[in-house]
Amino acid sequence: MEEDRHVTRKILRVASAPFGGTFAAEELRGEVVIPAAEKAAAELLLAESLPGASPRLAVHPGTTWNTKADGRPFWADTARIMRDAFPGLGVFLTWGTEKEREECLADPVPLGQGVAVLPRLGYKALAPSTGRAAT
């Protein structure tokens, strides 16, 4: 179905069908409540990992779906373009699986200074970290 172009929509349609329900994607809202202490910890992590960097670019190059993998050259080029526009740019890489971590450590975005591979972060730490990316 046309409305199933995104897997999330398909899952919601299938899950609501037995109950006769429908959903309007534009009405769905989600909020991750992050306590102030978690936000402060994320800011400290980024400040220590990329001292003086501004703005910051969050890159999560890994994926379990090969069709969604853009590859290292894509991310390296993106970071170079951003660095040209913002000379003080700091790039931090996040990861979720051991394979992703190894890929990040093997050849992080080749920009020299201003690149950090963060430790593995849980959802409540990842959300405020990536939320601080544009600062």
Side-chain angles (χ1 to χ4, degrees):
M1 299 183 83
E2 179 62 26
E3 65 267 18
D4 288 349
R5 291 187 60 178
H6 192 281
V7 69
T8 303
R9 288 179 175 263
K10 181 176 184 176
I11 290 168
L12 288 169
R13 184 181 58 78
V14 170
S16 65
F19 306 103
T22 60
F23 69 93
E26 63 277 357
E27 293 176 10
L28 298 175
R29 298 285 182 257
E31 181 181 354
V32 177
V33 178
I34 308 295
E38 297 269 353
K39 291 178 184 178
E43 181 57 39
L44 180 61
L45 173 64
L46 295 178
E48 289 175 347
S49 300
L50 297 166
S54 179
R56 299 176 210 141
L57 173 65
V59 176
H60 188 92
T63 178
T64 55
W65 294 52
N66 289 337
T67 57
K68 291 185 176 185
D70 291 312
R72 191 170 291 134
F74 170 82
W75 292 113
D77 288 346
T78 300
R80 277 191 203 97
I81 291 167
M82 294 292 292
R83 172 85 36 99
D84 288 345
F86 302 98
L89 180 75
V91 178
F92 63 92
L93 292 93
T94 61
W95 52 277
T97 67
E98 187 59 27
K99 179 183 176 208
E100 291 173 3
R101 183 184 77 80
E102 290 171 5
E103 289 173 359
C104 287
L105 291 172
D107 186 18
V109 177
L111 293 173
Q113 293 288 350
V115 178
V117 178
L118 297 185
R120 185 167 195 265
L121 301 174
Y123 187 65
K124 286 213 169 185
L126 184 62
S129 296
T130 56
R132 303 296 303 163
T135 63

